[in-house]
Amino acid sequence: MPRGAQVIYPKDLAVLVLWGDVYPGATVLEAGTGSGALTMTLLRAVGPAGRVISYEIREDFARQAMRNLERFFGGADTLTLRAQDIYDGIPDSPVDRLFLDLPEPWRVAPHAAAALRPGGVWVSYVPTVPQAQQTVETLRAHGGFANLETIEALIRPWNIEGQSVRPAHRMVAHTGFITTARRVQGG
Amino acid sequence: MPRGAQVIYPKDLAVLVLWGDVYPGATVLEAGTGSGALTMTLLRAVGPAGRVISYEIREDFARQAMRNLERFFGGADTLTLRAQDIYDGIPDSPVDRLFLDLPEPWRVAPHAAAALRPGGVWVSYVPTVPQAQQTVETLRAHGGFANLETIEALIRPWNIEGQSVRPAHRMVAHTGFITTARRVQGG
Amino acid sequence: MPRGAQVIYPKDLAVLVLWGDVYPGATVLEAGTGSGALTMTLLRAVGPAGRVISYEIREDFARQAMRNLERFFGGADTLTLRAQDIYDGIPDSPVDRLFLDLPEPWRVAPHAAAALRPGGVWVSYVPTVPQAQQTVETLRAHGGFANLETIEALIRPWNIEGQSVRPAHRMVAHTGFITTARRVQGG
Amino acid sequence: MPRGAQVIYPKDLAVLVLWGDVYPGATVLEAGTGSGALTMTLLRAVGPAGRVISYEIREDFARQAMRNLERFFGGADTLTLRAQDIYDGIPDSPVDRLFLDLPEPWRVAPHAAAALRPGGVWVSYVPTVPQAQQTVETLRAHGGFANLETIEALIRPWNIEGQSVRPAHRMVAHTGFITTARRVQGG
């Protein structure tokens, strides 16, 4: 029985969109669709003049994501959902921004270099250090990407109730590492 | 000689906009304009169908913000800049979202309750705990706000160079506390 | 029914002892005994030539702490347990180090100034910001304490299993604020 | 010109000693001596009935460490300093606790298994994730170690001055990863 796609936390959605420099009117490609949480955030950020293309090879995830999008968003003309495996290539190009929420983003590097317009931005999101490491190494070796940066986003919630003013006792300590890079000439 | 306005860090811009639930087409009011960094992020997020109204009582800050906006953004029809002191009231209403980057946001609570449409969102941003505490207490006592939440956003940068895979040695440990609340009936 | 005393986390025990500069042979006074976790750590740190005096007004806590000490430590000649309320004074003096794990440490400031030898160290541990603030303000106003410092200790646990190398998903985000100060002439 | 040994931060000293479960009377082996900061902390923690053996192959580090120890500590009968390369073996055995502050702690695993008494504790401290990963993998594969744990220690300093009550603007975000394990039968 397939388990549901991982949800991306708001803290990461916030940073993915701002670090990814998504703007109204942009053409954004995302893989995979997962639960559709990032898809919805991207649709909002590109607005009615933009376009979000989302690849998802798992039919169950794609169906669930469409249901979520209908429910919370009322559907969107600006969304294209495809059953495309991005490891095989990116038929939709050029794109302004690329978001990768999948296990081996480094395998997408050559396709990304072909699909991203100059100045376009790569954003990938992985849970472990070896994945972040292999992503950075592949992008650096490729030569067609600059301004590589890897970060973690953390939110510390506070309790403020009368004199009980203090950080919450527990917090989400880790979800994923976000790597961003800009497509430049070369490579 | 007046020093320049504080810049808001990207980590906080990202969280302010997502926690503030800014959307294309929204009418957003901001005070003060400061350096214009949040203004630009809000203009992007509301898009061509939205509107950003920004209050700034310091003329030097307003002038510098306009210069920054022209340079990085090419100006914007969707921006209205006013020399209004928000502690005195909010003549522009109703608004969908309210962003407060000033020393005593709690003094704005009654004006915010009048200006925010039902379901509208309050976002304030202050550097110290007593300010966050007084903000939360005032909003809670008012009765017209729900879902109060106070958080800090942290970004941990990583160094990934060959075998040197580790968090950066130093990081920004603190900028400000972000308080959000939703305008509800009552109060 | 009385609930058990709060346990102090190892991360805080570690920092309390090192920031408190506890050394073999030291005379250390602690209030309150609580679960005895800090008591045990202090007994270890002062060794057989040192002495730990622990005040606890709640009989149930004192009994439980003694049971814990017997079980894990086999008792200790170097421990003196008293049913003394430290807000009323410190009959045992002089002492080299003072550890306060109680709600209103600032009320102990005058007694601490009398009981701590010159160069002696104050360490207090409270869960909220207003408590830390009132502690620091009282010590600073007293004039007999220097090198005031307030910190939080955080431990980030990691998962390392094959390729799954990443921080743990959740962590303890907050327990308490540790304030240290050194007794100097004056005040 | 050789640069000085890295200093270990107090936050890490505190956690190294508590996680390493150092106690009065223990026999502790350390490599390398480095600046002598950990050596001094260990000497304090084992007290006059304990013993610290410290290996350092760099003569300049050993000399500087001895100078530091003389100055801050007045020397110590309980310290033995050797010009032994721990990668070659541990002639001093058995020991109760082992502290490794060197680039390739995993190379010490077989020597550690031979030198640590049953129940003895391994503590290693490395700056990067790949080093921590290789350490954990080697100890796990060996079979003679249990309770493997890897953590980071963080200290968040606070500013408390009148109404300016807030975390410090910047902090040390990373120094090293601490791995602890207990020697058990087998391997």
Side-chain angles (χ1 to χ4, degrees):
Chain A
M1 205 182 74
R3 71 186 171 83
Q6 290 280 17
V7 164
I8 302 179
Y9 281 68
K11 72 182 176 73
D12 292 317
L13 292 175
V15 169
L16 286 164
V17 169
L18 198 97
W19 258 249
D21 190 25
V22 180
Y23 54 94
T27 296
V28 175
L29 195 141
E30 169 204 39
T33 312
S35 67
L38 179 55
T39 321
M40 280 187 275
T41 307
L42 293 172
L43 283 167
R44 268 215 162 177
V46 301
R51 192 176 168 210
V52 175
I53 306 151
S54 189
Y55 292 176
E56 178 58 66
I57 48 168
R58 286 188 57 167
E59 247 185 76
D60 54 336
F61 282 12
R63 252 198 319 271
Q64 182 62 46
M66 281 310 287
R67 269 197 299 270
N68 290 344
L69 288 164
E70 293 285 340
R71 184 154 47 161
F72 295 111
F73 210 77
D77 295 343
T78 49
L79 173 66
T80 307
L81 198 57
R82 286 203 207 296
Q84 166 77 23
D85 186 339
I86 200 167
Y87 294 144
D88 293 339
I90 300 178
D92 301 271
S93 82
V95 299
D96 299 314
R97 302 292 183 255
L98 177 66
F99 287 82
L100 300 170
D101 177 20
L102 37 74
E104 302 184 342
W106 56 89
R107 292 174 54 194
V108 182
H111 311 316
L116 273 173
R117 69 162 168 80
V121 180
W122 160 295
V123 183
S124 58
Y125 179 65
V126 293
T128 75
V129 172
Q131 288 169 301
Q133 187 179 0
Q134 194 155 354
T135 301
V136 168
E137 279 166 9
T138 305
L139 291 178
R140 195 174 281 138
H142 181 280
F145 296 91
N147 301 127
L148 269 77
E149 193 182 346
T150 298
I151 58 169
E152 295 174 86
L154 295 162
I155 291 292
R156 197 179 200 202
W158 277 70
N159 287 8
I160 301 183
E161 305 258 355
Q163 285 305 297
S164 177
V165 178
R166 56 175 181 77
H169 181 55
R170 294 187 67 83
M171 66 183 272
V172 174
H174 178 68
T175 51
F177 298 95
I178 296 168
T179 296
T180 52
R182 205 166 270 274
R183 178 73 176 103
V184 291
Q185 297 306 337
Chain B
M1 202 183 76
R3 70 185 172 83
Q6 289 281 16
V7 165
I8 302 180
Y9 281 67
K11 72 182 177 71
D12 293 317
L13 292 175
V15 169
L16 287 164
V17 169
L18 198 97
W19 258 250
D21 191 25
V22 180
Y23 55 93
T27 296
V28 175
L29 195 140
E30 169 204 39
T33 312
S35 67
L38 179 54
T39 320
M40 280 187 274
T41 307
L42 293 172
L43 284 167
R44 267 214 164 176
V46 301
R51 192 175 167 210
V52 175
I53 307 150
S54 189
Y55 291 177
E56 177 59 66
I57 47 167
R58 286 188 57 166
E59 244 185 78
D60 54 336
F61 282 13
R63 252 197 321 269
Q64 181 62 47
M66 282 309 289
R67 269 198 298 270
N68 291 343
L69 288 163
E70 294 284 341
R71 184 153 47 162
F72 295 112
F73 210 75
D77 295 344
T78 51
L79 173 66
T80 309
L81 198 57
R82 285 203 208 296
Q84 166 76 23
D85 186 339
I86 201 168
Y87 294 143
D88 293 338
I90 302 178
D92 301 271
S93 83
V95 299
D96 299 313
R97 303 292 183 254
L98 178 65
F99 287 82
L100 300 170
D101 176 20
L102 36 74
E104 303 184 342
W106 56 88
R107 293 175 55 193
V108 183
H111 312 316
L116 273 173
R117 68 161 170 81
V121 180
W122 161 295
V123 183
S124 58
Y125 178 66
V126 292
T128 76
V129 172
Q131 288 169 301
Q133 187 179 359
Q134 194 155 352
T135 302
V136 168
E137 280 166 8
T138 304
L139 291 177
R140 195 174 283 140
H142 181 279
F145 297 90
N147 301 128
L148 270 76
E149 194 183 343
T150 298
I151 58 169
E152 296 174 86
L154 296 162
I155 291 291
R156 196 180 201 201
W158 277 70
N159 288 8
I160 301 183
E161 305 258 356
Q163 285 305 295
S164 177
V165 178
R166 56 173 182 79
H169 180 56
R170 295 187 68 82
M171 66 182 272
V172 174
H174 177 68
T175 51
F177 298 95
I178 296 168
T179 296
T180 53
R182 204 167 273 272
R183 178 72 176 104
V184 291
Q185 297 305 335
Chain C
M1 204 183 73
R3 71 185 173 83
Q6 290 280 16
V7 164
I8 302 179
Y9 282 68
K11 70 181 178 73
D12 292 318
L13 292 175
V15 169
L16 286 164
V17 170
L18 198 96
W19 259 250
D21 191 24
V22 180
Y23 55 93
T27 296
V28 175
L29 195 139
E30 169 204 38
T33 313
S35 66
L38 178 57
T39 320
M40 280 186 275
T41 307
L42 293 172
L43 283 167
R44 266 213 164 177
V46 302
R51 191 176 168 211
V52 175
I53 307 151
S54 189
Y55 291 176
E56 177 60 65
I57 48 168
R58 286 187 57 166
E59 245 186 77
D60 53 336
F61 282 12
R63 253 197 319 270
Q64 181 62 47
M66 282 309 289
R67 270 198 299 270
N68 290 344
L69 288 163
E70 293 286 340
R71 184 154 45 162
F72 295 111
F73 211 76
D77 294 345
T78 50
L79 173 66
T80 308
L81 198 56
R82 286 203 207 296
Q84 166 77 22
D85 186 339
I86 200 168
Y87 295 143
D88 293 339
I90 301 178
D92 301 272
S93 82
V95 300
D96 299 313
R97 303 290 183 254
L98 177 66
F99 287 82
L100 300 170
D101 176 20
L102 36 75
E104 303 184 341
W106 56 89
R107 291 174 55 193
V108 183
H111 311 316
L116 273 172
R117 69 160 169 82
V121 180
W122 160 295
V123 183
S124 58
Y125 178 66
V126 292
T128 75
V129 172
Q131 288 168 303
Q133 187 180 359
Q134 195 155 352
T135 302
V136 169
E137 280 166 8
T138 304
L139 291 178
R140 195 174 281 139
H142 181 281
F145 297 90
N147 302 126
L148 270 76
E149 193 182 345
T150 298
I151 58 168
E152 296 174 86
L154 295 162
I155 291 291
R156 196 179 201 200
W158 277 69
N159 287 9
I160 302 182
E161 304 259 357
Q163 284 304 296
S164 177
V165 178
R166 56 174 182 78
H169 180 55
R170 294 187 67 83
M171 67 183 272
V172 174
H174 177 69
T175 51
F177 298 95
I178 296 167
T179 296
T180 52
R182 204 167 272 274
R183 178 73 176 104
V184 291
Q185 296 306 336
Chain D
M1 203 183 75
R3 70 184 172 84
Q6 289 281 16
V7 165
I8 302 180
Y9 281 68
K11 72 182 178 73
D12 293 317
L13 292 175
V15 168
L16 287 164
V17 169
L18 198 98
W19 259 249
D21 191 24
V22 180
Y23 54 93
T27 296
V28 175
L29 195 140
E30 168 203 40
T33 312
S35 66
L38 179 56
T39 320
M40 279 186 274
T41 307
L42 293 172
L43 283 167
R44 267 214 163 178
V46 302
R51 189 175 169 213
V52 175
I53 307 150
S54 189
Y55 292 177
E56 177 59 65
I57 48 168
R58 285 187 58 166
E59 244 185 79
D60 52 337
F61 283 11
R63 251 197 320 269
Q64 181 61 46
M66 281 310 287
R67 269 197 299 269
N68 291 343
L69 288 163
E70 293 285 340
R71 183 153 48 160
F72 295 111
F73 211 76
D77 295 344
T78 50
L79 172 66
T80 308
L81 198 57
R82 286 203 207 294
Q84 166 76 22
D85 185 339
I86 200 167
Y87 294 142
D88 293 339
I90 301 178
D92 300 272
S93 82
V95 298
D96 300 313
R97 304 292 183 253
L98 178 65
F99 288 81
L100 300 169
D101 176 20
L102 37 74
E104 303 184 340
W106 56 89
R107 292 174 54 194
V108 182
H111 311 315
L116 273 173
R117 68 160 169 83
V121 180
W122 161 295
V123 183
S124 58
Y125 178 66
V126 292
T128 76
V129 172
Q131 287 168 303
Q133 186 179 0
Q134 194 154 353
T135 301
V136 169
E137 280 166 7
T138 304
L139 291 178
R140 195 174 281 138
H142 181 279
F145 297 90
N147 303 127
L148 269 77
E149 194 183 344
T150 299
I151 58 169
E152 295 173 86
L154 295 162
I155 291 293
R156 197 180 199 202
W158 277 69
N159 287 8
I160 301 183
E161 303 261 355
Q163 285 304 296
S164 177
V165 178
R166 55 174 183 77
H169 181 55
R170 295 187 68 83
M171 66 183 271
V172 174
H174 177 69
T175 50
F177 298 95
I178 296 167
T179 296
T180 52
R182 205 166 272 274
R183 178 72 176 105
V184 292
Q185 298 305 337

